[in-house]
Amino acid sequence: MSTSELPVLDEHYASLVALWAKKYVQSVASPSSERTHEALLQQQVATKIIKSLPFAMARGLAHTEQMLTQELHHQGIHPNLIDGWQINEDCRTLFTIVSDALQQGKSADSLSATGSRIFKKIRRRYTQEDGRILGFVTLQIHMTSQFLTDHFTPQERACFAPYQKVVDDHLYMPIYEMLDAAAQQPTGSMPLRAVEALLPQVTTFAQHLVSHAQDCYPKHRVYSGLLLDEGVMRSSLRDAEMFQIYLCLCALQHSAQSICQELFPLCVMLYPRLNVSWELVRSMLEELDRVLESELDPEHYSVFVPHLDMFHEVFSQTVVI
């Protein structure tokens, strides 16, 4: 990557990077015996990733093609935009840097920082021409991850989960676009202050939204299982965070373009295939609106209102049923 592609590291950018990085920080105050056990577990997980990756990738690609080929044709996405060789290479790269981080005993927050250039390059590769291609890529990575962890022990899954979340966050969410937009904000701007107020609470709010959905739709079954199932909970949490990051991006760009041109088309392509109901999405958005109004200062909440209204409009019953 050339220096011209690197983000402007001004104080706003650095501030939001620090807020985001806190999501992955792990305690380093553990006793030495626990750190030794953790290091051995990391090595064990890394070895399993390397050994199982080719098979998991092949199965992940087959399942993704089975689920989405018809949808890609239905949406008129040109087949030339799906470069299977490049997608496989990027998938291999992502899981390789995860296994390298585990082998070297790096924490998840360290992976988030050291892998940022690669994450950014891969994400932008699939959003430049048609953002919907990102849906194919992220689903393949998701399925590959599922097949990788099929034979993990509960301890190994717990060890791997924070690193998997780093990859998911950097690919699914427009983190870099948000950071670049923040770098363009004047000091003390209200949108920047509103985003700085929301970011530290994104995960807490997402956990509440997932719990709310589980209470309201306890029997709703998506492609991978019930909302209460561990894997589905993890995906639901990621999506609830993703919607908030798109909301932050809209506030910083003073535009709902990223919702209309990227997030909504991705959801339209993936959610029906994953059996995620639009009623569930609308319920989540309504609860998000209520939580933000309740938990944020009124001046901060007011920044997000026009973009929350756009969320409600594009996902309304008049648009998707």
Side-chain angles (χ1 to χ4, degrees):
M1 179 180 293
S2 68
T3 54
S4 62
E5 295 178 276
L6 296 178
V8 179
L9 293 176
D10 73 350
E11 59 180 330
H12 307 328
Y13 190 105
S15 173
L16 295 195
V17 167
L19 288 175
W20 188 257
K22 288 181 181 179
K23 291 164 59 62
Y24 311 109
V25 172
Q26 299 174 346
S27 172
V28 294
S30 303
S32 59
S33 60
E34 290 186 17
R35 292 199 298 272
T36 300
H37 174 75
E38 179 67 18
L40 291 173
L41 184 60
Q42 288 176 318
Q43 292 282 340
Q44 188 172 306
V45 172
T47 300
K48 283 194 172 185
I49 291 174
I50 294 169
K51 182 179 179 180
S52 303
L53 185 57
F55 181 61
M57 284 177 55
R59 291 185 67 190
L61 176 59
H63 276 255
T64 303
E65 288 179 337
Q66 181 182 11
M67 291 177 66
L68 290 185
T69 297
Q70 184 178 349
E71 186 63 26
L72 293 172
H73 177 74
H74 175 71
Q75 294 212 16
I77 299 174
H78 200 286
N80 289 346
L81 293 177
I82 304 293
D83 185 340
W85 182 87
Q86 184 65 65
I87 292 172
N88 268 337
E89 284 302 300
D90 288 336
C91 185
R92 191 189 322 277
T93 295
L94 291 169
F95 285 104
T96 298
I97 64 174
V98 168
S99 66
D100 287 347
L102 286 162
Q103 282 184 320
Q104 296 165 20
K106 292 181 179 178
S107 62
D109 61 303
S110 175
L111 172 63
S112 181
T114 59
S116 60
R117 292 188 180 186
I118 296 175
F119 296 141
K120 180 177 182 179
K121 181 179 180 179
I122 291 176
R123 187 180 196 279
R124 290 198 168 168
R125 191 196 316 280
Y126 301 109
T127 56
Q128 283 182 343
E129 290 191 63
D130 188 331
R132 293 172 295 179
I133 306 305
L134 184 64
F136 187 97
V137 177
T138 54
L139 183 59
Q140 179 175 341
I141 290 167
H142 173 74
M143 298 305 299
T144 297
S145 180
Q146 280 199 333
F147 293 128
L148 267 179
T149 58
D150 268 353
H151 303 294
F152 279 16
T153 66
Q155 273 190 319
E156 289 168 344
R157 286 196 189 96
C159 175
F160 178 68
Y163 300 86
Q164 180 183 358
K165 180 165 175 54
V166 170
V167 173
D168 285 351
D169 283 2
H170 283 264
L171 292 185
Y172 280 82
M173 304 182 196
I175 299 171
Y176 306 106
E177 292 84 354
M178 179 188 69
L179 294 174
D180 289 343
Q184 305 304 315
Q185 289 288 316
T187 300
S189 75
M190 186 55 68
L192 184 62
R193 287 163 55 193
V195 169
E196 288 175 336
L198 174 55
L199 270 186
Q201 305 183 78
V202 160
T203 298
T204 299
F205 291 167
Q207 290 168 340
H208 170 80
L209 295 175
V210 172
S211 178
H212 174 78
Q214 291 169 338
D215 291 342
C216 295
Y217 303 93
K219 296 182 179 180
H220 182 61
R221 180 176 291 274
V222 298
Y223 177 81
S224 302
L226 296 171
L227 295 181
L228 290 168
D229 292 349
E230 180 183 355
V232 178
M233 286 177 61
R234 186 167 54 246
S235 297
S236 300
L237 179 63
R238 178 203 63 219
D239 283 6
E241 291 184 332
M242 176 180 69
F243 272 71
Q244 293 178 75
I245 299 305
Y246 271 99
L247 184 63
C248 290
L249 176 60
C250 289
L252 292 169
Q253 291 183 332
H254 308 284
S255 168
Q257 180 177 345
S258 61
I259 296 176
C260 299
Q261 295 187 2
E262 186 170 299
L263 177 62
F264 180 69
L266 279 173
C267 292
V268 169
M269 186 173 76
L270 291 178
Y271 280 177
R273 293 290 173 182
L274 297 174
N275 199 35
V276 177
S277 76
W278 296 119
E279 180 184 350
L280 178 64
V281 175
R282 284 189 283 270
S283 175
M284 184 269 288
L285 289 173
E286 289 169 3
E287 185 64 11
L288 173 61
D289 199 337
R290 189 198 66 77
V291 168
L292 295 185
E293 183 176 18
S294 171
E295 299 298 324
L296 297 181
D297 291 343
E299 60 180 359
H300 295 155
Y301 171 68
S302 66
V303 170
F304 298 117
V305 167
H307 312 295
L308 286 166
D309 290 344
M310 179 58 69
F311 269 130
H312 295 313
E313 183 176 338
V314 298
F315 288 100
S316 68
Q317 281 187 303
T318 60
V319 179
V320 288
I321 300 175

